[in-house]
Amino acid sequence: AVSSQSTGSSGINAEYGDVALTIEKSITMTMAQESYTVTVDDTATLECTAFAKPLPTEIKWYVNGTEIDTSTDQFNRHTINFKEQVEYRSFSELVITGLKTEDNGTYKCEASNTVKGTSYTSSATTNVIVKYLTVSLSKKVWSIASGDSVTVTCTGTGSPQPDEVKWFKEGTTNKITSADEGYTVTTTSTSNYNRISTLVIEKQESDQNYVCESTNYLNNVAQFEDDKVLIKIYSPVSVSRTASFVETQIGKNSAITCSCEGVPLPEEMTWYKDGTKISATESRTITNTASYDPKFILTSVVGFTSASSDDIAEYKCACENEFSGKSNTAETTIEFRVVTESAISWDSSNPKAAPFGQPLNLTCTATGLPRPTNVVWSRQTATDSKLVLISSTDSRFVSSNEAVDLQTLQGTLTITSPQYGDDGTYNCYTDNTINNVVYSRNANSTLLIYQNPTVTMATTEIASDPNKNVELQCTVNAKPAPSSLEWYYGTNKITNQPGSDLDGYSRTSTYSFMVASTNEGKYRCVGGNTYDGNAATGEGHTYVRLYRPVAMETGSTPAGASTVNEFSSLTFTCATEGVPQSTDVQWTFSRTLTNIDSVDHQHTIVNTVNYERSDLNIETSSEYRIPTVAFTDIGTYQCKTSQTWDSKTTDNDKSWEIIVNFSAKLRSGNTNGQTNIFQDVGTQMKLTCLVYGNPQPDEASWMWADTSGTISGEGDFTITNKIKNEYQRESVIEFMFLPIYHNRNIQCASKNALSSSTEKLSFSLQMNPDTMSLHLTGSEETGATVQLVCLTTFTEGEIQWMKDNIVITENNRITYATNSTYTTKNSVLTIVDIEETADNGVYACELVKSDTEKYRKTYNLTIGQAVTDEDLSTGIIVALVVLVAFIIIVVILIVVVFVHGRRKKDRSMFDGSSIPEGYENNNYDDKQLQSVITMPDTTLDNIPRIVEPILLSNNTFEHDVKEATIMQQATLINANRNNRSDGGSVQRAQSTLGKPARRSRPEDQDRGNQTLDHRDKRDWY
């Protein structure tokens, strides 16, 4: 009901006669309607009237106790209109647009006035009911496995509040309740507007749609809303297409469509173009639309706006779904075709006319979808009555086709050497096929072959003796045919021009004259023609000169260079002149320092040859340049040329000897210049250091790199220094055997006057792993002390000593010591006061890694007596006796030979048939005589010492010095030959030779020229 409230009282004022009567009334508010029932999104207008005197100045509106302020966002859909209408009444209206459920409530209008100083307030109310009813589902689409349980929630929202939310199977009218088997239904209310119903399906085995319905009543009239729940049982995806191919005209709009069906349904379709994933662009759209009733289907459309050749491709659509960890994919392909009829055009760049003999390309561009596959060429020349296909067997014509893009083919006809008869009309043809219909096109143009005059001289140079006749022949070719041919001497036209003959497009002329010093020089032949109104000329020439023998001029930069400094530049120049022209200048370089590469500088040679022809001479110039001089450039440089004329050859050459001043250079003289040396332990090693320099460098010194001190006392080695030549020294360090601790870097060093500091060359010495050596130190003489040194580069195992394969036990004479490092194992066996009987034998150093893996080195120790002074004196005496005997025998033999020669001379006085008595009985033992004659001439001063190296074991050498004289050996030989009974002299010689030889000691060896011999008497381990 409409309600109104007022407070206060009223008064009446009246006038009688001249007295004014004033009537005042307190305020009363009324509402036009006691309630408003409206629909969501509609507009409601609430009207309120105020009765009062005086009228109120303002009427306010409230909703549910809150004043409505239309200037705020909360009430931005509310408008208040207020105006005075009559003397005692005032109207106000509230307009609400776009009604929502939150607009439900009690609205109040309120106003005030004042009567006789008393304030009065009145209000009126009305109810606004926004009626609505909605249904919402917690989830509409369900993808499940057969037999799964599903819980679905449906919320009914309305004004007034829904009184029931019900569930149905789609297509039935029976409400589902908890009493139905397999279902549970519960209903709750969360507000004055909501009612929630939950449906639990215990076991869903097949596809089923469920309907949720909500109802409420307004003015005893029922209304309802419903929605569906779609429950689908899982199934893998499948893809279908509307067509296997789609074909459209170029520039048209088109589309291709794929559909994907499956549970659950993928959110989108994936598209590929020729295998590459694509997305939407300005000219291509991709739309995915899902539908769930009655089937789960995703439809995807690729739309082409103004299709072009770029859109031509094979498209693939693919979709994928996943359920219970399983992924399923399906795909199909659609060919998209854009077609257009073929077209062909003659390229604007093709010439209308082309020069004779120069390669020419004619091009036609063919287009179409599908793209034409070929461009065919034909032509019609002056000898043809129609177009004739150009033969592929004609080598002057080469046809090729190149695909520019998907719809363009470029055909090219190449005429490798256009001839005069190639003038005519040229045509290009192409076609393509659309839906079994052939679309052919062709284009053509004319071509003219022209030739500016070209002049050919029979010869370009003539050398002649004076007063001899020469002929110059000139041929001019041109199209149009040459109209003129003229001869010039230098720049002057010859007065008496010879005639010329025209044959087709060629004109020929011959000019002859007697050569003299007054008319030698350059003769020119000039031909001309006119094409398309333009005159053209061509020219050729021949030099006619009197013979001049070749001459040569030379020079160098710097001038007169013979000695230059390293890193400077050097240039040699040779210039020749003569008639006829000499051959090109040839250069040779003979290097002084051979067998060495230039590692400091590249030896760069630049040759330039220039020809300068004057009317009377021919000059040839050549330069040999060395931009950066290196020490390897020391040597002899030569330039050479030759001239041939009238069966005569004249040669000229020039040489330079160049010396380079350079600082000391060091190189390895080892094989291949090696500086990284890998050796077995205990072996001999030789390092060669080559030192170059000018002035000659100092003698090289050797040092260990880690100490920088000159080598001395480091082991058994020798250092030899030699002068090889004026620029080179050689220094060699040779180790008799290399100790283990020589895994080091060794350096040789030298310098000369130009060196800013000492130059060094490093060698890296490395011992090979898992190697052994065994050698003896000391003298193998009775009573001496010897040491067997065993060196190894094994890092594992134990060393044991053996004699004759029996392990040695230490005693008071025999001891051994073994030490190890992280890279070596070494041992020394010491025997003091050695005895021949007790200590002779085969000694072995054995490294034992395991029972099956052993390594050994052996040494055969042979103990003998030392050579005494008495033995030496006896040997010398015997040698002297033998020598004297040998000299006597030689003298006797000389006498015998002389006498025998005289007898032969005397016999020549007899005739050939008779021989004097007694001569035929004189017999000589030729063999015996020969053995004596061939014996070497030996004296006491040149008795050699024979040294034979005996190999005792791997990597170990023992030098056994055996001393004997050649005479002693000769005595033994002759004694055996003659089978003499006198065994005394033989025995004496044998006893001398058979004595144990004294072992050579280092100090007995020949030291040689400039040889330093260093010995280290310390143990070598």
Side-chain angles (χ1 to χ4, degrees), residues 686-689 699-700 702 717-723 729-734 1007-1014:
K686 180 189 291 185
L687 302 178
T688 302
C689 180
E699 186 176 277
W702 292 86
F717 65 88
T718 60
I719 297 176
T720 303
N721 289 289
K722 296 180 181 179
I723 297 177
R729 285 181 178 270
E730 179 185 85
S731 182
V732 178
I733 183 169
E734 183 173 5
R1007 301 180 186 275
N1009 179 34
Q1010 299 184 29
T1011 300
L1012 302 179
D1013 193 3
H1014 304 275

Side-chain angles (χ1 to χ4, degrees), residues 899-927:
V899 172
H900 181 67
R902 293 289 299 174
R903 288 183 178 183
K904 284 187 175 182
K905 184 176 180 181
D906 293 340
R907 290 178 63 181
S908 64
M909 295 182 298
F910 299 94
D911 60 87
S913 60
S914 61
I915 300 175
E917 184 179 356
Y919 280 95
E920 62 272 22
N921 295 322
N922 291 326
N923 297 323
Y924 296 93
D925 189 347
D926 293 337
K927 292 182 180 179

Side-chain angles (χ1 to χ4, degrees), residues 753-794:
L754 296 180
S755 300
S756 58
S757 61
T758 301
E759 300 292 331
K760 295 180 180 179
L761 175 65
S762 292
F763 295 85
S764 174
L765 311 183
Q766 299 293 325
M767 296 298 101
N768 291 322
D770 297 346
T771 60
M772 297 179 67
S773 73
L774 180 62
H775 63 275
L776 178 80
T777 63
S779 172
E780 296 179 68
E781 298 176 357
T782 302
T785 296
V786 297
Q787 287 186 323
L788 289 171
V789 181
C790 180
L791 305 178
T792 82
T793 55
F794 288 91

Side-chain angles (χ1 to χ4, degrees), residues 384-549:
D384 301 320
S385 60
K386 61 180 180 179
L387 285 172
V388 178
L389 284 176
I390 295 176
S391 173
S392 59
T393 61
D394 191 336
S395 60
R396 290 196 307 114
F397 297 90
V398 179
S399 177
S400 62
N401 295 293
E402 180 183 2
V404 178
D405 53 38
L406 198 60
Q407 64 179 347
T408 305
L409 180 74
Q410 187 175 74
T412 301
L413 176 67
T414 300
I415 308 176
T416 58
S417 179
Q419 303 299 309
Y420 297 141
D422 291 331
D423 291 345
T425 299
Y426 285 77
N427 179 273
C428 53
Y429 165 91
T430 194
D431 60 44
N432 71 347
T433 302
I434 301 174
N435 296 328
N436 296 322
V437 178
V438 177
Y439 298 90
S440 60
R441 301 287 187 273
N442 63 77
N444 57 63
S445 182
T446 58
L447 177 67
L448 173 68
I449 303 300
Y450 70 91
Q451 182 182 15
N452 289 331
T454 59
V455 178
T456 303
M457 306 298 294
T459 181
T460 58
E461 293 186 8
I462 294 177
S464 174
D465 286 331
N467 301 319
K468 286 195 174 181
N469 191 68
V470 298
E471 286 188 351
L472 307 181
Q473 189 177 69
C474 171
T475 300
V476 180
N477 294 294
K479 184 183 179 184
S483 55
S484 63
L485 189 156
E486 296 176 322
W487 288 93
Y488 291 79
Y489 173 56
T491 58
N492 300 318
K493 183 187 294 188
I494 294 174
T495 303
N496 296 319
Q497 290 285 331
S500 62
D501 297 322
L502 181 63
D503 181 11
Y505 298 106
S506 296
R507 187 176 290 276
T508 303
S509 177
T510 301
Y511 178 59
S512 61
F513 62 97
M514 189 75 69
V515 180
S517 60
T518 57
N519 62 4
E520 62 175 335
K522 183 177 181 180
Y523 286 80
R524 299 162 51 224
C525 173
V526 179
N529 76 341
T530 301
Y531 166 68
D532 198 18
N534 297 315
T537 60
E539 176 182 322
H541 62 265
T542 297
Y543 286 96
V544 178
R545 302 183 180 93
L546 294 177
Y547 165 70
R548 293 175 178 81

Side-chain angles (χ1 to χ4, degrees), residues 565-566 660-664 693-695 751-757 759:
N565 292 327
E566 186 181 24
V660 179
N661 295 326
F662 62 98
S663 60
N694 187 27
K751 64 178 181 178
N752 68 357
L754 296 180
S755 300
S756 58
S757 61
E759 300 292 331

Side-chain angles (χ1 to χ4, degrees), residues 566-570 589 591 596-606 624-633 637 667:
E566 186 181 24
F567 308 124
S568 62
S569 62
L570 184 60
F589 168 46
R591 178 178 288 167
I596 182 170
D597 59 332
S598 178
V599 297
D600 292 327
H601 304 283
Q602 288 294 329
H603 191 163
T604 303
I605 300 175
V606 179
Y624 186 105
R625 302 174 184 173
I626 307 177
T628 305
V629 174
F631 73 97
T632 52
D633 296 331
Y637 297 81
R667 301 288 185 270

Side-chain angles (χ1 to χ4, degrees), residues 1-4 30-37 44-48 61-64 94 96 103-109 123-129:
V2 178
S3 62
S4 63
T30 61
M31 195 71 72
Q33 293 179 213
E34 63 181 14
S35 67
Y36 294 84
T37 301
T45 301
L46 311 184
E47 296 180 350
C48 175
W61 288 84
Y62 298 83
V63 58
N64 299 326
L94 174 65
I96 308 171
D103 294 328
N104 279 315
T106 300
Y107 286 77
K108 180 179 72 172
C109 61
S123 63
T125 61
T126 187
N127 292 320
V128 175
I129 301 172

